[in-house]
Amino acid sequence: MRGDDPNSERPSRENLLAARWARRRFLTVTGAAAGLALTAGLPLAAQATARRTYDYPFTLGVASGDPLPDGVVIWTRLAPQPLEPFGGMEYGTKVPVRWEVAEDEGFRRVVRKGITFADSEFAHSVHIDVRGLRPSAEYYYRFMAGSDVSPVGRTKTAPAVGAAVPALNFAFASCQHRVVGYYTAYQHMAQEDLDVVIHLGDYIYEGGDQGTLGRGHFPARTLSNLADYRIRFAQYKTDPNLQAAHAAFPWIVTLDDHEVLSNWVSKYSFYYPQESFEQFLIRRANAFRAYWEHMPLRLGQLPTGPDMPLYRRFTYGNLAEFSVLDTRQYRDDQLYNDGTAPPDEFTRDPSRQMIGAQQERWLFDGLAASGVTWNVLAQQVFFSQLDLDPVDGRERYVMDSWDGYEAQRNRIVDFMHDRNIANPVVLTGDVHANNACEIKKNFDDTNSATVGVELVGTSISSSGDGADTDPGRDALASQLPHIKYYNVQRGYVRCQVTPDLWRTDFKVLPYVSRPGAPIRTDATLVVENGRPGLQEG
């Protein structure tokens, strides 16, 4: 995690708020945040509203997320000129925005509606926590600002607590570096019949690279200040295929590293020690603020400076429960310069943390109390053991993965095994490749009990065009019997879950360097209830 930042910037007046938070350790939420409008019915007379006339403001589309049995968050942002400062809106204004939720796409049966204010303090983003909805129900939503009407989004609530759920269909995705590839995967995903989408991180990339596809980053520099992060998120969200996938389904999101800076953890910058802890926390506060402003997240996830409470849990009746983890904010620094290394007393140190002690307790408490059939961990980095040099007893592991935090991984696996947690499934992104792994009680013993499975999804576009085979990695996987499937093409993963069976389809594209690629299912693997392990579907 060491390097020189050729595009580093000193904190400017624009970063004053984040700098103040950094010095005070971010213990309070600002009054402006406390006044965010996530419910309807605020009096117009109490608000300062904008009088300026704007172009069409809904250029970033709409989104919904974090579904509960009685509600969901709906999102938009007013940005008539999305690549300009403040999205082309006027600083210091609050613009009235009307919203509606209906049972039909034509909005003849409106069940919830209200008015809120898009505030420049939060980039004129709108987060409505809609409650009072029916469980397992499909709804449509839209926003209106002046005479302009947003695209219509479709969303769906979660089932009632404890309800018997016959099936759950969802997809998960990650890693969408726009510079190196088109979002054709989202074009296909939007045509699926899904209850929810889970995004496991790297929603944006922070560098200033331009590439060769005409999809270069703007601004053309490594992100640091709040204005630049806002513009970069807006640039990504202008993509029509990404907008279509957001509009089609509710999303559950978490971040990885590139939403902030490559391979950051805790207070450690990729450029440490050239970038000090305080300087990096200012950068992190800016990135987190822009992330929240552009995601369908509740007020409970609003960052307090560089701290954002992202780990949370979603339950789908008695069928499945998703524990969404945060593997960045609470992690100890990667060992051995964030490279690869054999295991030793340091990588196996019981005190080393990937998710922090508090999040570990939260995870164990949730797993112990769960009464569902499938217990899912949605997280970022490779969980299973991945020996990059398995020949002749030599070992070499990636220090940014769970292999660099072996003791905490072992505690999680041991807890699942010893407490007989039903059907553990780990969902993973990050590595730009599809993998399907069996999680072993002891990865060094091929005869050890299988505790659960890990499904690793490839990237949407990151790493550019992939390949159906990779001789080097294929040979490696052949030496690791707990890895049952491997592929390096781009795409996403679709899961169909019933009380008896978990079916996983690895959906892949032949190319992303130009639009229009067809999609196919490269492999289908299944897990039977009560029989941990992967089988061909």
Side-chain angles (χ1 to χ4, degrees):
M1 295 182 58
R2 308 292 178 262
D4 296 317
D5 184 355
N7 299 296
S8 62
E9 300 177 8
R10 294 292 182 185
S12 63
R13 291 178 60 85
E14 181 178 44
N15 291 328
L16 183 60
L17 179 60
R20 182 171 74 248
W21 273 329
R23 289 192 297 271
R24 295 180 58 190
R25 293 303 306 136
F26 319 100
L27 296 178
T28 59
V29 179
T30 67
L36 270 178
L38 277 91
T39 56
L42 297 182
L44 278 168
Q47 303 292 333
T49 59
R51 299 182 181 276
R52 178 177 167 186
T53 300
Y54 298 100
D55 295 330
Y56 184 72
F58 299 108
T59 60
L60 305 184
V62 299
S64 69
D66 282 13
L68 300 175
D70 69 337
V72 69
V73 177
I74 59 174
W75 172 94
T76 193
R77 179 189 166 199
L78 306 183
Q81 301 296 329
L83 302 189
E84 290 186 4
F86 306 110
M89 299 292 289
E90 188 173 354
Y91 179 72
T93 58
K94 298 179 181 180
V95 179
V97 177
R98 305 183 307 282
W99 58 270
E100 294 179 337
V101 175
E103 294 179 331
D104 66 301
E105 197 169 2
F107 289 85
R108 291 178 294 274
R109 300 189 303 278
V110 173
V111 295
R112 290 290 183 274
K113 64 181 179 178
I115 186 168
T116 188
F117 290 85
D119 192 335
S120 66
E121 182 75 12
F122 298 93
H124 292 99
S125 62
V126 175
H127 303 68
I128 306 295
D129 190 0
V130 184
R131 294 301 179 101
L133 304 178
R134 294 180 292 107
S136 295
E138 183 177 86
Y139 292 96
Y140 298 87
Y141 62 95
R142 65 184 177 184
F143 302 89
M144 291 149 282
S147 60
D148 293 311
V149 182
S150 75
V152 173
R154 170 199 171 273
T155 193
K156 189 174 184 180
T157 53
V161 175
V165 178
L168 169 66
N169 297 316
F170 75 94
F172 67 93
S174 64
C175 305
Q176 51 197 50
H177 192 185
R178 64 167 279 123
V179 172
V180 298
Y182 288 88
Y183 291 172
T184 313
Y186 283 133
Q187 179 182 357
H188 292 287
M189 183 190 290
Q191 303 305 311
E192 300 266 17
D193 181 12
L194 303 175
D195 297 300
V196 67
V197 171
I198 299 175
H199 197 281
L200 298 174
D202 292 347
Y203 191 96
I204 67 164
Y205 279 66
E206 81 287 359
D209 45 327
Q210 296 299 297
T212 61
L213 303 181
R215 290 171 59 83
H217 276 149
F218 184 81
R221 55 179 173 266
T222 299
L223 305 179
S224 176
N225 63 58
L226 178 57
D228 283 357
Y229 277 109
R230 284 171 167 170
I231 291 172
R232 183 65 56 82
F233 272 101
Q235 183 187 28
Y236 271 64
K237 292 186 81 71
T238 57
D239 187 278
N241 292 327
L242 177 58
Q243 288 190 17
H246 269 299
F249 321 108
W251 284 36
I252 297 170
V253 301
T254 188
L255 56 71
D256 195 11
D257 57 333
H258 287 289
E259 288 89 350
V260 181
L261 188 67
S262 180
N263 278 23
W264 73 274
V265 294
S266 184
K267 61 186 178 181
Y268 293 92
S269 168
F270 180 83
Y271 304 115
Y272 177 79
Q274 287 84 1
E275 183 174 48
S276 70
F277 292 154
E278 184 178 62
Q279 288 172 324
F280 175 67
L281 289 176
I282 293 170
R283 187 198 295 256
R284 196 175 105 178
N286 291 330
F288 281 7
R289 176 66 164 265
Y291 181 81
W292 184 87
E293 289 170 346
H294 289 84
M295 294 294 126
L297 291 167
R298 288 187 167 84
L299 181 59
Q301 278 62 61
L302 178 70
T304 306
D307 302 319
M308 180 163 53
L310 264 183
Y311 63 85
R312 57 211 195 279
R313 188 171 286 118
F314 299 92
T315 305
Y316 278 73
N318 67 354
L319 183 63
E321 186 166 83
F322 295 86
S323 295
V324 182
L325 303 186
D326 180 343
T327 63
R328 290 288 167 186
Q329 288 191 77
Y330 315 105
R331 195 201 298 200
D332 290 321
D333 195 13
Q334 298 101 326
L335 292 171
Y336 301 114
N337 203 32
D338 195 13
T340 61
D344 60 18
E345 61 181 313
F346 302 108
T347 65
R348 290 170 169 161
D349 182 351
S351 69
R352 282 183 57 72
Q353 297 285 341
M354 169 71 84
I355 60 174
Q358 181 175 331
Q359 188 176 182
E360 181 180 310
R361 289 192 299 272
W362 169 86
L363 174 61
F364 288 172
D365 288 346
L367 291 173
S370 170
V372 302
T373 302
W374 304 92
N375 287 280
V376 187
L377 276 59
Q379 57 95 53
Q380 295 79 3
V381 295
F382 213 93
F383 185 83
S384 300
Q385 187 183 87
L386 182 60
D387 186 357
L388 300 179
D389 194 4
V391 181
D392 298 331
R394 298 190 297 268
E395 295 178 277
R396 184 166 54 91
Y397 299 104
V398 175
M399 293 295 100
D400 188 52
S401 74
W402 282 89
D403 283 325
Y405 306 80
E406 185 176 343
Q408 188 166 52
R409 177 181 63 194
N410 290 344
R411 289 196 298 273
I412 294 172
V413 174
D414 289 347
F415 184 90
M416 291 173 170
H417 176 269
D418 297 344
R419 298 294 292 269
N420 293 314
I421 301 303
N423 301 310
V425 179
V426 177
L427 307 180
T428 300
D430 184 61
V431 296
H432 309 173
N434 288 311
N435 290 261
C437 311
E438 293 183 342
I439 299 171
K440 310 297 286 188
K441 179 72 165 60
N442 180 0
F443 284 105
D444 295 323
D445 179 2
T446 57
N447 296 317
S448 179
T450 298
V451 177
V453 301
E454 179 182 16
L455 306 172
V456 184
T458 189
S459 61
I460 290 291
S461 60
S462 300
S463 295
D465 290 341
D468 193 21
T469 61
D470 180 331
R473 294 303 295 268
D474 290 347
L476 174 63
S478 70
Q479 301 294 317
L480 302 171
H482 63 279
I483 298 181
K484 303 300 183 182
Y485 166 71
Y486 177 79
N487 169 278
V488 288
Q489 291 175 295
R490 310 283 76 83
Y492 60 92
V493 182
R494 182 182 64 192
C495 299
Q496 298 172 296
V497 186
T498 71
D500 297 321
L501 195 73
W502 180 299
R503 174 190 173 102
T504 302
D505 295 322
F506 291 91
K507 311 290 286 187
V508 300
L509 305 166
Y511 53 84
V512 293
S513 56
R514 61 188 189 277
I519 198 162
R520 66 181 179 87
T521 300
D522 187 63
T524 296
L525 298 174
V526 301
V527 182
E528 296 180 8
N529 179 10
R531 295 184 60 187
L534 293 160
Q535 306 172 48
E536 291 188 2

